Amino acid sequence: MDTFKIGRLGKTHGVKGELTFHFTDDVFDRTDAEYVFVEIDGLQVPFFFEEYRFRSEQTALVKFEGVDDANRAATMVGCDVFFPRELCDDNDGELSWAEIIGFTITDAESGHLVGEVKAVNLDTINTLFEVLTPDGRQLLIPANDDLVADIDRQQRNIAMDIPQGLLEI
């Protein structure tokens, strides 16, 4: 199943199996998802929500079905959490930054492949796509709406009007 990373499980909370969930994308709440995938020993395992409640804009307390004590929850601390892309397809048409990771970027004018989005950098004033080119170079491309010509969710591609000279940097 095609998934994308939305966060990481933090420390346990209480004795009944709750965990702190630090998320970068609240898609699980926006789509009213019943489950997420937790990566355990390199495998993505589905876990169904029993309940969750928000602690802040980036943190929730989660209780998964079958995780009923602090010892079981402790085995999940530090595990990455992933969300299935197929559950986003009918999402309000908007893509989250986390969803875009793994998309390819092509030059809208020439149709040539620029590379694959490996990360989205939100640490600067201008949001940047961190792109790995086919020849192994790292590029930073502004994630500006004015540069985006088209987004094909099915093909997982973003066609962009790349400014002259940007690819040669």
Side-chain angles (χ1 to χ4, degrees), residues 36-56:
V36 290
F37 288 93
V38 178
E39 188 171 74
I40 300 173
D41 296 328
L43 298 173
Q44 291 184 9
V45 180
F47 279 88
F48 287 80
F49 290 113
E50 191 169 299
E51 65 180 349
Y52 61 84
R53 62 188 186 280
F54 290 95
R55 297 288 304 254
S56 72

Side-chain angles (χ1 to χ4, degrees), residues 1 9 28 32 63 100 138 146 152 160 168:
M1 175 169 286
L9 296 174
F28 64 95
D32 200 24
K63 170 79 174 71
I100 289 173
Q138 287 253 216
D146 294 337
D152 185 334
M160 296 187 72
E168 285 80 40

Side-chain angles (χ1 to χ4, degrees), residues 92-143:
D92 61 15
E94 294 289 316
L95 284 167
S96 67
W97 292 124
E99 254 182 286
I100 289 173
I101 295 171
F103 274 49
T104 55
I105 292 183
T106 54
D107 180 40
E109 186 175 319
S110 68
H112 287 104
L113 174 67
V114 174
E116 180 181 338
V117 178
K118 292 297 187 181
V120 178
N121 185 331
L122 303 169
D123 296 334
T124 63
I125 292 173
N126 297 312
T127 301
L128 301 168
F129 292 136
E130 295 180 15
V131 177
L132 182 64
T133 66
D135 63 2
R137 291 183 305 134
Q138 287 253 216
L139 294 176
L140 296 175
I141 298 176

